[in-house]
Amino acid sequence: MRTLTIGILFAICFGQVAFADTTYICTRGDMERRIEVVYLGADTVPCEVRYTRNGTTEVLWSAQAEEGYCEARAAEFVEKQRGWGWECVESAADMSASSAPDMPEEQGVE
């Protein structure tokens, strides 16, 4: 019974894991630009590439079915920014609490 319970908990917890959005922060002097790959579901598509500058965010590209499209467009745009003199660093955004539930602690299940 314990093996079955652990298996069910594992499937519930890890079956709902969403991909973490990826964010590139680009700076030049005191200016900052943000390029984000945002996943709109629990998989890599649908997705959007969002660009924020001067407090305004716009969607540059989006994909409904083509995996890797948003990541490739974002990486290309980051390279353009670097070519224009911006310094860009990548950081994975934190996953929201709703996308991956906490694993419950074992409480004497036998």
Side-chain angles (χ1 to χ4, degrees):
M1 183 67 168
R2 180 178 182 178
T3 304
L4 178 61
T5 303
I6 292 172
I8 291 170
L9 288 174
F10 184 84
I12 290 170
C13 290
F14 293 103
Q16 297 178 2
V17 173
F19 287 87
D21 298 341
T22 301
T23 301
Y24 299 90
I25 306 294
C26 300
T27 56
R28 189 172 70 184
D30 61 350
M31 297 181 291
E32 180 180 290
R33 304 284 190 261
R34 182 179 294 260
I35 301 163
E36 299 172 281
V37 176
V38 178
Y39 301 108
L40 305 175
D43 207 347
T44 58
V45 286
C47 61
E48 294 179 344
V49 178
R50 298 178 185 170
Y51 178 54
T52 304
R53 65 177 174 173
N54 302 325
T56 302
T57 301
E58 60 184 302
V59 175
L60 298 180
W61 298 278
S62 63
Q64 295 301 313
E66 186 178 341
E67 291 188 18
Y69 179 82
C70 290
E71 296 82 358
R73 296 290 86 67
E76 290 170 4
F77 193 55
V78 166
E79 288 308 309
K80 280 188 179 183
Q81 295 286 324
R82 288 179 175 144
W84 296 331
W86 293 82
E87 182 178 322
C88 300
V89 294
E90 177 183 355
S91 64
D94 291 334
M95 293 175 57
S96 68
S98 63
S99 64
D102 291 335
M103 183 73 139
E105 295 180 26
E106 281 190 43
Q107 298 187 10
V109 178
E110 297 180 333

